[in-house]
Amino acid sequence: MWSLLSGLGLALLLAQAQALYFYIDGPSQKCFFEELPKDTLVVGHFKATQWNEQSRSYVENPDMGLFITVDEIFDNDHRVVQQRGRSTGKFTFSAADSGEHRLCFTPTNVPASSGFLFSGSQVGGIKMELDMVIGETSQIESSDKDKMGEVVQKVKDLNARLQDIRREQVFQREREAEFRDQSESVNSRVVRWAIIQVLVLCATCAWQLTYLRAFFIKQKLT
Protein backbone atom coordinates (compact mmCIF):
# COMPACT_ATOMS: atom_id res chain seq x y z
CA MET A 1 0.00 0.00 0.00
CA TRP A 2 2.76 2.40 0.96
CA SER A 3 4.72 1.48 -2.19
CA LEU A 4 1.67 2.28 -4.33
CA LEU A 5 1.22 5.64 -2.64
CA SER A 6 4.92 6.36 -3.02
CA GLY A 7 4.76 5.53 -6.72
CA LEU A 8 1.79 7.84 -7.25
CA GLY A 9 3.53 10.63 -5.39
CA LEU A 10 6.65 10.20 -7.48
CA ALA A 11 4.59 10.29 -10.67
CA LEU A 12 2.95 13.52 -9.55
CA LEU A 13 6.34 15.04 -8.88
CA LEU A 14 7.70 13.95 -12.26
CA ALA A 15 4.77 15.33 -14.26
CA GLN A 16 3.02 18.56 -13.28
CA ALA A 17 0.23 20.09 -15.32
CA GLN A 18 -0.28 23.82 -14.87
CA ALA A 19 -3.31 25.51 -16.40
CA LEU A 20 -3.61 29.24 -15.85
CA TYR A 21 -4.68 32.44 -17.53
CA PHE A 22 -3.65 36.06 -17.11
CA TYR A 23 -4.24 39.41 -18.74
CA ILE A 24 -1.86 41.65 -20.68
CA ASP A 25 -2.29 45.33 -21.47
CA GLY A 26 -1.85 45.45 -25.25
CA PRO A 27 1.66 44.85 -26.61
CA SER A 28 3.32 44.95 -23.19
CA GLN A 29 5.40 42.05 -21.89
CA LYS A 30 4.17 39.69 -19.19
CA CYS A 31 6.63 37.39 -17.39
CA PHE A 32 6.53 34.78 -14.67
CA PHE A 33 9.15 32.52 -13.11
CA GLU A 34 9.35 28.74 -12.83
CA GLU A 35 11.84 26.68 -10.84
CA LEU A 36 12.85 23.67 -12.93
CA PRO A 37 15.18 20.74 -12.18
CA LYS A 38 17.84 19.65 -14.65
CA ASP A 39 16.80 17.76 -17.81
CA THR A 40 13.13 18.62 -17.31
CA LEU A 41 10.98 18.73 -20.41
CA VAL A 42 8.44 21.56 -20.59
CA VAL A 43 5.61 21.63 -23.13
CA GLY A 44 3.34 24.67 -23.15
CA HIS A 45 0.12 25.17 -25.09
CA PHE A 46 -1.05 28.76 -25.31
CA LYS A 47 -3.97 30.78 -26.67
CA ALA A 48 -4.23 34.57 -26.73
CA THR A 49 -7.53 36.37 -27.33
CA GLN A 50 -8.30 40.09 -27.64
CA TRP A 51 -11.04 42.10 -25.96
CA ASN A 52 -13.87 43.11 -28.30
CA GLU A 53 -16.04 46.04 -27.26
CA GLN A 54 -18.95 45.10 -29.51
CA SER A 55 -19.36 41.57 -28.19
CA ARG A 56 -18.05 42.52 -24.73
CA SER A 57 -15.91 39.40 -24.69
CA TYR A 58 -12.47 38.07 -25.61
CA VAL A 59 -12.31 36.83 -29.20
CA GLU A 60 -9.56 35.48 -31.44
CA ASN A 61 -7.73 37.96 -33.65
CA PRO A 62 -6.11 36.32 -36.72
CA ASP A 63 -3.74 39.29 -37.12
CA MET A 64 -2.41 39.06 -33.57
CA GLY A 65 0.90 37.30 -32.96
CA LEU A 66 2.86 36.30 -29.88
CA PHE A 67 6.54 36.58 -29.01
CA ILE A 68 7.72 34.03 -26.43
CA THR A 69 11.08 33.98 -24.64
CA VAL A 70 12.49 31.70 -21.94
CA ASP A 71 15.64 32.80 -20.09
CA GLU A 72 17.79 31.01 -17.51
CA ILE A 73 18.04 33.47 -14.61
CA PHE A 74 20.84 31.50 -12.96
CA ASP A 75 23.02 31.65 -16.09
CA ASN A 76 23.18 35.39 -16.83
CA ASP A 77 19.77 35.35 -18.52
CA HIS A 78 20.84 32.81 -21.10
CA ARG A 79 17.98 32.54 -23.62
CA VAL A 80 16.82 29.02 -24.41
CA VAL A 81 13.60 29.87 -26.27
CA GLN A 82 12.88 32.71 -28.69
CA GLN A 83 9.71 31.99 -30.62
CA ARG A 84 7.63 34.34 -32.72
CA GLY A 85 4.39 33.07 -34.22
CA ARG A 86 0.62 33.07 -34.10
CA SER A 87 -1.55 33.75 -31.09
CA THR A 88 -2.31 30.04 -30.68
CA GLY A 89 0.29 27.30 -30.60
CA LYS A 90 2.86 25.42 -28.57
CA PHE A 91 6.41 25.85 -27.31
CA THR A 92 8.81 23.20 -26.00
CA PHE A 93 12.14 23.33 -24.23
CA SER A 94 14.30 21.26 -21.91
CA ALA A 95 16.03 22.68 -18.85
CA ALA A 96 19.78 22.34 -19.35
CA ASP A 97 20.43 22.82 -15.65
CA SER A 98 18.51 23.25 -12.41
CA GLY A 99 17.40 26.76 -11.56
CA GLU A 100 14.86 29.49 -12.04
CA HIS A 101 13.57 30.20 -15.54
CA ARG A 102 11.78 33.34 -16.70
CA LEU A 103 8.97 32.87 -19.23
CA CYS A 104 7.81 36.02 -21.01
CA PHE A 105 4.92 36.59 -23.43
CA THR A 106 4.51 39.69 -25.61
CA PRO A 107 1.50 40.16 -27.94
CA THR A 108 2.25 41.69 -31.33
CA ASN A 109 0.11 43.52 -33.92
CA VAL A 110 -2.32 44.72 -31.26
CA PRO A 111 -3.18 48.26 -30.12
CA ALA A 112 -2.14 49.47 -26.68
CA SER A 113 -4.86 49.21 -24.05
CA SER A 114 -4.83 49.56 -20.31
CA GLY A 115 -7.11 50.11 -17.38
CA PHE A 116 -9.89 48.28 -15.63
CA LEU A 117 -13.47 48.42 -16.81
CA PHE A 118 -15.80 49.12 -13.93
CA SER A 119 -18.16 46.51 -15.26
CA GLY A 120 -15.60 43.96 -14.18
CA SER A 121 -15.54 42.13 -17.52
CA GLN A 122 -12.04 43.18 -18.54
CA VAL A 123 -8.76 43.60 -16.72
CA GLY A 124 -6.54 43.81 -19.80
CA GLY A 125 -6.76 44.05 -23.55
CA ILE A 126 -5.34 40.54 -24.09
CA LYS A 127 -6.31 37.35 -22.29
CA MET A 128 -3.56 34.74 -22.24
CA GLU A 129 -4.45 31.11 -21.56
CA LEU A 130 -1.50 28.84 -20.81
CA ASP A 131 -1.45 25.10 -20.21
CA MET A 132 1.97 23.68 -19.33
CA VAL A 133 3.02 20.10 -18.73
CA ILE A 134 6.29 19.78 -16.84
CA GLY A 135 8.07 16.47 -16.55
CA GLU A 136 9.81 13.73 -18.53
CA THR A 137 6.90 11.26 -18.63
CA SER A 138 4.83 9.38 -21.16
CA GLN A 139 2.00 11.85 -20.56
CA ILE A 140 3.84 14.49 -22.58
CA GLU A 141 4.62 12.03 -25.32
CA SER A 142 1.05 10.73 -25.51
CA SER A 143 -0.36 14.26 -25.91
CA ASP A 144 1.38 14.56 -29.27
CA LYS A 145 1.16 10.90 -30.25
CA ASP A 146 -1.38 11.49 -32.99
CA LYS A 147 0.61 14.37 -34.47
CA MET A 148 3.80 12.33 -34.36
CA GLY A 149 1.98 9.45 -36.04
CA GLU A 150 0.86 11.78 -38.83
CA VAL A 151 4.39 13.09 -39.28
CA VAL A 152 5.81 9.55 -39.35
CA GLN A 153 3.19 8.51 -41.92
CA LYS A 154 4.00 11.54 -44.07
CA VAL A 155 7.70 10.67 -43.90
CA LYS A 156 6.93 7.09 -44.93
CA ASP A 157 4.81 8.34 -47.83
CA LEU A 158 7.61 10.65 -48.92
CA ASN A 159 10.12 7.81 -48.75
CA ALA A 160 7.82 5.60 -50.82
CA ARG A 161 7.40 8.40 -53.34
CA LEU A 162 11.17 8.85 -53.50
CA GLN A 163 11.58 5.13 -54.15
CA ASP A 164 9.05 5.36 -57.00
CA ILE A 165 10.92 8.32 -58.47
CA ARG A 166 14.23 6.46 -58.23
CA ARG A 167 12.75 3.41 -59.96
CA GLU A 168 11.35 5.67 -62.68
CA GLN A 169 14.76 7.31 -63.10
CA VAL A 170 16.47 3.90 -63.39
CA PHE A 171 13.88 2.83 -65.97
CA GLN A 172 14.38 6.03 -67.95
CA ARG A 173 18.18 5.56 -67.86
CA GLU A 174 17.77 2.01 -69.14
CA ARG A 175 15.49 3.24 -71.92
CA GLU A 176 17.99 5.96 -72.82
CA ALA A 177 20.86 3.45 -72.87
CA GLU A 178 18.84 1.10 -75.09
CA PHE A 179 17.94 3.93 -77.47
CA ARG A 180 21.58 5.05 -77.56
CA ASP A 181 22.74 1.54 -78.41
CA GLN A 182 20.14 1.26 -81.19
CA SER A 183 21.15 4.66 -82.56
CA GLU A 184 24.83 3.74 -82.55
CA SER A 185 24.02 0.43 -84.25
CA VAL A 186 21.98 2.15 -86.96
CA ASN A 187 24.67 4.81 -87.46
CA SER A 188 27.38 2.18 -87.79
CA ARG A 189 25.31 0.28 -90.38
CA VAL A 190 24.73 3.47 -92.35
CA VAL A 191 28.47 4.23 -92.31
CA ARG A 192 29.36 0.68 -93.39
CA TRP A 193 26.82 0.79 -96.23
CA ALA A 194 28.17 4.16 -97.37
CA ILE A 195 31.75 2.80 -97.35
CA ILE A 196 30.63 -0.26 -99.33
CA GLN A 197 28.89 1.98 -101.88
CA VAL A 198 32.02 4.12 -102.25
CA LEU A 199 34.19 1.02 -102.71
CA VAL A 200 31.78 -0.38 -105.33
CA LEU A 201 31.75 2.95 -107.17
CA CYS A 202 35.55 3.14 -107.08
CA ALA A 203 35.85 -0.44 -108.35
CA THR A 204 33.32 0.25 -111.12
CA CYS A 205 35.15 3.41 -112.18
CA ALA A 206 38.49 1.59 -112.19
CA TRP A 207 37.03 -1.26 -114.27
CA GLN A 208 35.50 1.19 -116.73
CA LEU A 209 38.76 3.11 -117.09
CA THR A 210 40.67 -0.09 -117.60
CA TYR A 211 38.18 -1.30 -120.20
CA LEU A 212 38.20 2.01 -122.08
CA ARG A 213 41.98 2.16 -122.06
CA ALA A 214 42.19 -1.34 -123.42
CA PHE A 215 39.53 -0.51 -126.01
CA PHE A 216 41.33 2.59 -127.24
CA ILE A 217 44.62 0.78 -127.41
CA LYS A 218 43.02 -2.01 -129.44
CA GLN A 219 41.44 0.47 -131.83
CA LYS A 220 44.75 2.17 -132.51
CA LEU A 221 46.45 -1.12 -133.19
CA THR A 222 43.80 -2.17 -135.62
Side-chain angles (χ1 to χ4, degrees), residues 126-139:
I126 306 298
K127 181 181 179 181
M128 184 72 188
E129 300 177 25
L130 182 62
D131 185 8
M132 290 198 311
V133 180
I134 303 174
E136 216 171 2
T137 64
S138 58
Q139 181 179 0

Side-chain angles (χ1 to χ4, degrees), residues 22-147:
F22 50 89
Y23 299 92
I24 306 176
D25 292 333
S28 60
Q29 186 182 70
K30 191 79 170 182
C31 300
F32 65 94
F33 299 87
E34 187 72 30
E35 186 79 19
L36 298 174
K38 183 179 180 181
D39 297 330
T40 300
L41 181 63
V42 179
V43 179
H45 296 266
F46 58 87
K47 179 181 179 182
T49 52
Q50 186 175 357
W51 175 258
N52 185 279
E53 282 290 340
Q54 296 179 352
S55 62
R56 304 292 295 175
S57 62
Y58 287 94
V59 297
E60 294 186 8
N61 181 3
D63 297 329
M64 180 172 58
L66 196 66
F67 181 61
I68 303 173
T69 60
V70 178
D71 301 322
E72 295 177 342
I73 303 301
F74 57 89
D75 191 15
N76 296 324
D77 293 339
H78 175 252
R79 182 154 293 178
V80 294
V81 174
Q82 181 170 319
Q83 177 177 323
R84 188 184 301 273
R86 302 178 61 183
S87 58
T88 303
K90 181 183 72 171
F91 66 92
T92 305
F93 71 94
S94 181
D97 205 346
S98 301
E100 196 172 46
H101 292 68
R102 181 177 62 232
L103 292 82
C104 297
F105 302 87
T106 307
T108 58
N109 298 329
V110 293
S113 62
S114 61
F116 178 81
L117 295 183
F118 294 100
S119 61
S121 59
Q122 182 193 17
V123 291
I126 306 298
K127 181 181 179 181
M128 184 72 188
E129 300 177 25
L130 182 62
D131 185 8
M132 290 198 311
V133 180
I134 303 174
E136 216 171 2
T137 64
S138 58
Q139 181 179 0
I140 297 178
E141 298 176 358
S142 62
S143 63
D144 294 334
K145 186 176 181 180
D146 295 337
K147 293 182 180 180

